[in-house]
Amino acid sequence: MSDRASLERRLTGGLALVGALGALLLLLFIAIEYGLTLHVLADRHELPTVVHELTEHVVIPILVLIVPMTLAARWVIRASLRPLERRAHEIDEASAQERGFRVDVTSLPSEVLPFADAVNSLLDRIDDATREQEAFAADVAHELRTPLSVLALEIDRLDHPAAERLRDDVGRMRRLIDQLMILAQLDIDVPQADDAPVDLVSVAEDVASLMAPIAIKQKRNVAVDVMENATVNGRREAIVAAVRNLVENALRVTPESGTVTIVVGPGRAISVRDEGPGLAEEALEILRKRHLRAENASSRGAGLGLAIVSRIAAAHHARLLTLPAEKTLRIAFG
């Protein structure tokens, strides 16, 4: 931090300057009081005596007083600024996904309260705008489900070579709507009140059953490997959606006749192992952002898969990890 931006250094420097000016004024007052003129100071015989007297009775006492006062002033300044440091640390440590975070003003100096109140007011407005945007996205996604269902029924009645392709396109659109619904729901209401025990083995088996027809159609296999039974607290439908997204991504990178394995354990974790090239940590950090895809991902998707998985993991106080050597993506619950 530069000297210009350091409040502590500015206060310390200001106090040092005040002390130095006070010492000079004191010396001037003493000189006037004792009649120390330039004539006296120019006298070689009188000067040593004057210097000795000033040093013994003025300069040394001033130094003895200034040094502890400077140290005490520095301690007082640091103690006064410590609440600001604690609040800054709390803000820095606040999760990017955390809603409702506000700066605690209880221990802040009164001079800083207007600034802290302004920051909290800004956070209120940001939260309100974000909620409105997410609620709008959820409403739009919900309203699109009905016409898509009707469209799917109409396509089922068609006897045309293009019907299968249209059916797949509508299926992808419905899948995208479901993803948007999950993402909006998690953003609006982080799982708390609706949390319940979730059996990860049951989740793995359900996802495997759900994805088996898709895997067979793509000439691939889906398997379940239970290393350890595990139960976590959360929303079952959200965890199922996360694992399903991981399996969908794994099917894309797994070659024909390959196997995608849903692994439960070790510990409170559920993983998806594929037969692709593996995903590096740097690539995972990029793909956590919405609308970004891996190089081998399908260009017909919306790039929401790993963003949704990462958001679901964060909402359940879990971490999305990649194990490139094992070609595995893992959701590790705390």
Side-chain angles (χ1 to χ4, degrees):
M1 182 179 295
S2 64
D3 291 346
R4 181 180 63 84
S6 175
L7 183 59
E8 178 183 342
R9 292 183 181 181
R10 292 177 67 179
L11 290 174
T12 302
L15 289 176
L17 180 60
V18 170
L21 291 175
L24 290 176
L25 290 175
L26 179 61
L27 289 174
L28 180 61
F29 175 78
I30 292 173
I32 295 174
E33 180 72 18
Y34 288 93
L36 299 178
T37 63
L38 292 176
H39 177 73
V40 174
L41 295 177
D43 189 337
R44 295 183 177 180
H45 297 288
E46 295 290 337
L47 183 60
T49 303
V50 171
V51 171
H52 179 269
E53 290 294 327
L54 288 176
T55 302
E56 183 176 355
H57 298 288
V58 178
V59 175
I60 292 178
I62 288 177
L63 291 177
V64 171
L65 182 63
I66 284 179
V67 172
M69 287 186 63
T70 301
L71 295 176
R74 190 173 181 84
W75 178 84
V76 170
I77 292 171
R78 287 186 173 180
S80 301
L81 295 177
R82 198 163 293 123
L84 297 179
E85 295 177 356
R86 287 197 293 266
R87 297 294 88 78
H89 181 71
E90 291 175 3
I91 295 173
D92 187 58
E93 291 295 319
S95 169
Q97 308 290 352
E98 184 175 346
R99 289 293 178 84
F101 175 82
R102 298 295 180 270
V103 180
D104 184 6
V105 299
T106 54
S107 61
L108 290 180
S110 59
E111 293 80 2
V112 187
L113 286 181
F115 176 77
D117 290 338
V119 171
N120 286 337
S121 178
L122 175 62
L123 292 174
D124 285 334
R125 294 194 296 272
I126 291 175
D127 276 357
D128 290 341
T130 303
R131 289 191 188 96
E132 290 179 2
Q133 182 182 13
E134 290 162 351
F136 174 75
D139 291 341
V140 170
H142 184 269
E143 292 299 323
L144 286 174
R145 298 180 74 176
T146 299
L148 283 176
S149 298
V150 174
L151 180 59
L153 292 174
E154 293 297 327
I155 292 175
D156 288 338
R157 298 176 182 176
L158 292 178
D159 184 13
H160 191 276
E164 185 65 24
R165 179 178 58 81
L166 292 174
R167 191 177 296 108
D168 290 341
D169 289 341
V170 172
R172 275 188 289 270
M173 292 177 65
R174 294 180 66 177
R175 176 66 183 138
L176 173 58
I177 295 301
D178 290 340
Q179 288 180 329
L180 290 172
M181 287 287 292
I182 294 170
L183 195 56
Q185 185 181 21
L186 286 172
D187 284 338
I188 293 172
D189 183 17
V190 174
Q192 289 178 353
D194 295 338
D195 282 3
V198 179
D199 181 8
L200 294 184
V201 175
S202 173
V203 168
E205 292 173 347
D206 286 354
V207 174
S209 299
L210 184 66
M211 297 302 297
I214 299 175
I216 292 173
K217 186 176 181 179
Q218 297 178 3
K219 300 180 180 179
R220 290 162 177 81
N221 305 299
V222 176
V224 174
D225 181 11
V226 179
M227 300 179 63
E228 181 179 344
N229 291 326
T231 301
V232 299
N233 287 328
R235 290 185 179 176
R236 192 178 192 281
E237 65 276 11
I239 297 175
V240 168
V243 178
R244 175 174 176 171
N245 273 285
L246 291 180
V247 172
E248 287 180 342
N249 289 340
L251 287 173
R252 293 193 189 102
V253 300
T254 298
E256 287 190 8
S257 302
T259 300
V260 172
T261 306
I262 306 172
V263 183
V264 180
R268 289 157 47 87
I270 186 166
S271 310
V272 175
R273 183 174 65 239
D274 56 54
E275 297 182 7
L279 187 65
E281 181 65 35
E282 297 80 7
L284 177 60
E285 289 303 319
I286 294 174
L287 293 173
R288 290 178 193 270
K289 301 177 181 179
R290 299 178 188 180
H291 312 303
L292 296 181
R293 306 181 185 88
E295 294 179 357
N296 52 8
S298 170
S299 61
R300 305 182 72 174
L304 289 172
L306 289 181
I308 290 177
V309 177
S310 181
R311 182 68 187 92
I312 292 173
H316 288 80
H317 306 291
R319 295 176 298 157
L320 175 60
L321 308 173
T322 180
L323 307 174
E326 302 177 21
K327 303 178 180 180
T328 296
L329 285 174
R330 173 173 298 166
I331 302 174
F333 295 86

